[in-house]
Amino acid sequence: MNDRTTRREWLGIAALIAALPIVLMSGVATPNEYKAWGVDAVDCDGPLGVMMFAVPGLLIYGVGAVAYGAGYRKRLNLAVAGVCLVVCLFVGANLMAAVKEQRLNDRAPEACR
């Protein structure tokens, strides 16, 4: 194993750590802020608040899962790919909840006019 491969791996891990705040923001963002507060109301913003952070997070961690999954023979690569996959599943579930909430809001469009 040469030194260049090790540096490249650690640079990728550093990029994933740098993108962690984006993923955390997408996990914290709620699909409907009013339901999170306990009020049964329509959130007219839609899933934009979640998508704004979820889409870049999914792209970054999806690429990380594929890139590190390709070198699955090393334990470090396998662990990083597994973490990236779990993060993608977490963010994807929140994104799907936001899209589902938007579809529910589309049934009553007069509420957001």
Side-chain angles (χ1 to χ4, degrees):
M1 173 182 310
N2 59 11
D3 191 32
R4 190 172 219 187
T5 303
T6 306
R7 286 183 186 164
R8 194 174 300 147
E9 288 172 356
W10 287 110
L11 183 63
I13 292 172
L16 290 172
I17 291 171
L20 194 59
I22 295 171
V23 172
L24 291 176
M25 286 299 296
S26 69
V28 172
T30 58
N32 187 337
E33 294 174 17
Y34 300 116
K35 285 186 181 177
W37 295 338
V39 178
D40 191 24
V42 175
D43 188 5
C44 294
D45 295 338
L48 184 63
V50 176
M51 282 186 184
M52 192 167 52
F53 296 107
V55 172
L58 278 174
L59 288 175
I60 292 169
Y61 276 84
V63 167
V66 170
Y68 282 97
Y72 64 90
R73 290 185 180 97
K74 290 184 180 179
R75 287 184 184 175
L76 177 67
N77 289 353
L78 189 60
V80 171
V83 169
C84 287
L85 186 62
V86 168
V87 167
C88 285
L89 291 174
F90 174 70
V91 171
N94 197 23
L95 183 62
M96 293 308 294
V99 170
K100 180 181 174 186
E101 187 67 33
Q102 179 63 34
R103 288 189 180 181
L104 290 174
N105 292 345
D106 286 343
R107 293 182 184 168
E110 65 276 352
C112 292
R113 290 184 190 222

